[in-house]
């Protein structure tokens, strides 16, 4: 059977909040300039409160990949976890508005939707503060095996490999793809993922 989708991806569902600030702002919030720093919810809220006007856009490694596929005219789907909050609505809207199939229901309990606060300085340097929120809490029951089987390629985000439930979801998606005779791509994501 011919695949209905070119790529379906499983990954962290994050909303990027971009703000243009100066170097003094980066120093004042105390994060490493030009790097990505993991933060907890309180720290994320603190940084967000000090940022100027921002732009919200869906992100995350795997979500960006399927957005790229859709942008080039491909057919794509996404499996990821958001909360039933404002940023979760932004994420769902953004992916669906570009034609990506995203049917994972928003969670009504648990941490809020993950976000990456991206501060861009005048020299175009990005400094990121990431709060994963509910994103890594994806579970096997969130994986729609029929959706996975409908894609030529299942793209799996290595960042999720740290969480036991997310790892089980990755295994389930891999098995569904292989059972349908489809290909699986597993991204190593970052050197720390390889080390672990």
């Amino acid at each position: 059977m011919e695949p209905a989708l070119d790529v379906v991806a499983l990954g962290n569902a994050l909303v990027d909040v971009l703000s243009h600030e100066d170097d003094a702002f980066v120093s004042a919030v105390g994060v490493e300039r030009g790097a990505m720093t993991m933060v907890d919810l309180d720290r994320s809220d603190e940084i967000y409160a000090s940022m100027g006007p921002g732009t919200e856009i869906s992100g995350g490694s795997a979500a960006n990949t399927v957005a790229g596929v859709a942008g080039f005219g491909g057919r794509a789907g996404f499996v990821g976890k958001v909360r039933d909050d404002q940023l979760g609505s932004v994420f769902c809207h953004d992916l669906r508005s570009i034609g990506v199939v995203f049917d994972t229901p928003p969670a009504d309990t648990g941490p809020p939707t993950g976000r990456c606060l991206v501060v861009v300085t005048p020299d175009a340097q990005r400094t990121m503060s990431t709060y994963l929120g509910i994103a890594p809490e994806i579970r096997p029951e969130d994986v729609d095996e029929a959706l996975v089987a409908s894609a030529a390629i299942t793209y799996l985000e290595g960042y999720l490999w740290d969480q036991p439930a997310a790892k089980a979801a990755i295994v389930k998606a891999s098995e569904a793809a292989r059972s349908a005779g489809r290909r699986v791509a597993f991204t190593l994501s970052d050197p720390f993922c390889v080390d672990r």
Side-chain angles (χ1 to χ4, degrees):
M1 175 193 269
E2 201 59 32
L5 298 175
D6 298 304
V7 178
V8 66
L10 186 142
N12 283 318
L14 302 174
V15 175
D16 294 338
V17 181
L18 290 86
S19 178
H20 293 272
E21 308 288 349
D22 59 20
D23 286 321
F25 175 88
V26 175
S27 295
V29 296
V31 292
E32 184 180 348
R33 185 181 189 280
M36 191 281 290
T37 304
M38 298 299 292
V39 296
D40 63 15
L41 180 59
D42 290 341
R43 184 76 171 114
S44 177
D45 287 345
E46 178 185 310
I47 294 169
Y48 178 74
S50 64
M51 290 169 66
T55 303
E56 297 169 346
I57 187 165
S58 296
S61 174
N64 288 341
T65 297
V66 294
V69 169
F72 284 113
R75 301 160 301 162
F78 182 76
V79 178
K81 197 84 161 178
V82 296
R83 209 24 232 283
D84 58 351
D85 55 19
Q86 179 185 348
L87 292 181
S89 295
V90 167
F91 187 90
C92 293
H93 171 268
D94 283 354
L95 257 62
R96 292 173 182 153
S97 72
I98 60 172
V100 173
V101 176
F102 178 56
D103 295 328
T104 312
D108 55 7
T109 61
T113 299
R115 74 282 316 251
C116 180
L117 307 178
V118 183
V119 172
V120 182
T121 50
D123 62 353
Q125 181 66 264
R126 298 178 315 159
T127 300
M128 299 175 285
S129 301
T130 303
Y131 167 65
L132 293 175
I134 200 164
E137 294 188 17
I138 191 161
R139 303 190 174 298
E141 55 268 23
D142 296 317
V143 176
D144 179 345
E145 291 172 290
L147 177 69
V148 171
S150 75
I153 300 169
T154 297
Y155 177 90
L156 305 166
E157 185 179 310
Y159 285 120
L160 288 175
W161 195 249
D162 279 345
Q163 302 297 323
K167 187 183 289 189
I170 287 172
V171 170
K172 180 179 179 181
S174 298
E175 290 172 349
R178 300 302 267 166
S179 292
R182 309 298 192 199
R183 293 188 292 171
V184 175
F186 184 72
T187 175
L188 300 178
S189 297
D190 194 282
F192 77 81
C193 296
V194 177
D195 291 341
R196 284 203 266 256

